[in-house]
Amino acid sequence: MKLYDTMAREMRELTAEDGENFRFYCCGPTVYGPAHIGNFRTFVLQDVFRRVLQLSGQSTQHVRNITDVDDKTIRDSQAAGKSLGEFTEAWTAKFRVDCDALNLLAPHDEPSAVEHIPQQIALIEQLMAKGHAYKSDDGSVYFKVTSFDQYGCLSHLDQRELRDGAGGAAVADDEYEKDAVADFALWKGRKQEDGDNFWLSPWGEGRPGWHLECSAMCKEYLGDTFDLHSGGVDLVFPHHENEIAQSEAASGETFARHWFHITHLMVDGGKMSKSLGNMYTLADLEERGFTANELRYVLISGHYRHPLNFTLQSMEDAKKALLRIGKAGGALRERAGGDADEPDQQIPRGHDFIYFKAAFESLLQDLNSPEALGRIFSELRELKADKMSAEDAQAALNDLEYILLALGLSLPEVEEDKQVEVPEDIRDLAEKRWQAKQAKAWAQSDALRDELLGKGWEIKDDKEGYQLCPRS
Ligand code: AMP
Ligand code: ZN
């Protein structure tokens, strides 16, 4: 499988360092409310990534953390009058329910920051001993950015900017303005507003800085070096840059061998935010009558390296597209005279595609999910279930199940009575009209459409192809 690497700025073949297991880490949710559909764009794409890797024959170890202590979780747990643990536990549970609904494979390990305080303290001690960190007057500990020559290697920060900016004001915030290079907090000295949320350390009471948890948990579960690290594009700087600095300064080894970042989801052409009232959750969409399967379809309908614009219309389109796949699957099933072999939802290691091979190839080339969807529809259009042998139909149905398994989509059940028998001559005419349209032979295409209308059949076009319906 090939994937674009943010650090190398080129496409790279993915390999497991140990030759056996592909070990990767995804920055997980901050559990202070329900995850929104933007978060799920990232988690769904990471899930498709894992499915494709496994279906290509690779075993994996997938680690995704839970951020259960930071400025926001503390602030909102206090506002809710709950302990931090009680508060974050409830939102973690909700996150898992949403993940199940969206058919996300559970990570092999799902560690939380609060469960790994000793590991984070040990990492700071190592950085202090090597001269990469210093204690400030308020009991906080900072990473000294100028002590790490490679700082900026992931986000490709301008070297001059680094020289001028580094060593300036130290920042205690977990997030700060992009490109504002500053020493960042590894440990935050206890403040009154933190309430009961503090731990003992060699530098006094306090809590870890946000960037540190991922470095500590990567080391704990994957070792100093592992195969791939992933997150939304907003994490490139400062979060991942800081993770690299902490981990590599401490270990002297390469941290992640590949960096995979997913571009943000936009809503109605703009940024998603609570104040604009356009921050959708899965529950919001379910209330409007949509399903998690449809949301998953929308989230994979754009390439991960491009922004994806979410609209409610895109959910309607997904509903139709899935219905079309369901109908095609139904026709194959009828011809085959039986169901597909149910693929193992745990994802088998390797699958040889006969049908939908081109779609799987798209996924192997930089996880091109929109192209894969396009190729599924092209192939479904070309397959004529009623002209296939029962064995071929069975094989096509099996492979359809497997390509949907790669994407994590479920084959929708289509009610039998909604399927309309289309006579062969009508289908041939419709196909000719589609070919004419594809060739931009507009006059011919219009004439064929009229001919079909004259015979009582209407054509409805959309992005993926056309549908034939009896004239109303
Ligand atoms: P958070 O819960 O804020 O820590 O974010 C969890 C994951 O969602 C991270 O990998 C973020 O980079 C990612 N993320 C946040 N907002 C968006 C968005 N609008 N589109 C895609 N990914 C996002
Ligand atoms: Zn992280």
Side-chain angles (χ1 to χ4, degrees), residues 122-227:
L123 188 52
I124 303 177
E125 283 181 314
Q126 237 182 322
L127 291 169
M128 289 284 254
K130 289 189 167 189
H132 291 290
Y134 59 91
K135 188 178 166 187
S136 72
D137 292 343
D138 68 348
S140 297
V141 180
Y142 289 92
F143 185 90
K144 191 169 194 278
V145 167
T146 47
S147 75
F148 184 67
D149 286 347
Q150 294 84 10
Y151 195 83
C153 60
L154 177 68
S155 48
H156 307 285
L157 281 177
D158 180 71
Q159 289 303 310
R160 185 181 45 78
E161 206 169 346
L162 258 175
R163 263 200 318 276
D164 297 347
V171 288
D173 278 358
D174 286 330
E175 289 162 85
Y176 46 95
E177 281 302 302
K178 193 174 181 313
D179 294 350
V181 181
D183 290 353
F184 57 90
L186 297 167
W187 186 261
K188 298 173 164 203
R190 183 180 171 190
K191 282 186 284 185
Q192 205 175 357
E193 56 264 37
D194 289 344
D196 298 338
N197 304 304
F198 63 88
W199 289 266
L200 265 180
S201 82
W203 315 283
E205 293 167 343
R207 61 181 167 103
W210 169 48
H211 311 295
L212 191 65
E213 63 174 83
C214 290
S215 282
M217 290 187 269
C218 283
K219 185 176 166 64
E220 179 81 5
Y221 292 86
L222 300 169
D224 287 331
T225 303
F226 54 97
D227 297 313

Side-chain angles (χ1 to χ4, degrees), residues 28-92:
T30 310
V31 282
Y32 68 110
H36 56 64
I37 58 174
N39 300 135
F40 281 120
R41 177 182 199 197
T42 289
F43 297 134
V44 164
L45 263 301
Q46 289 163 342
D47 183 68
V48 176
F49 163 75
R50 171 173 159 194
R51 286 165 179 265
V52 173
L53 209 53
Q54 290 183 204
L55 276 169
S56 77
Q58 178 71 63
S59 74
T60 64
Q61 185 186 353
H62 174 195
V63 183
R64 187 181 63 214
N65 71 302
I66 298 282
T67 296
D68 55 358
V69 55
D70 79 329
D71 301 347
K72 289 179 273 193
T73 43
I74 292 178
R75 179 197 64 201
D76 290 4
S77 64
Q78 289 168 341
K82 291 186 174 163
S83 73
L84 182 65
E86 195 188 351
F87 180 77
T88 57
E89 217 171 276
W91 286 118
T92 303

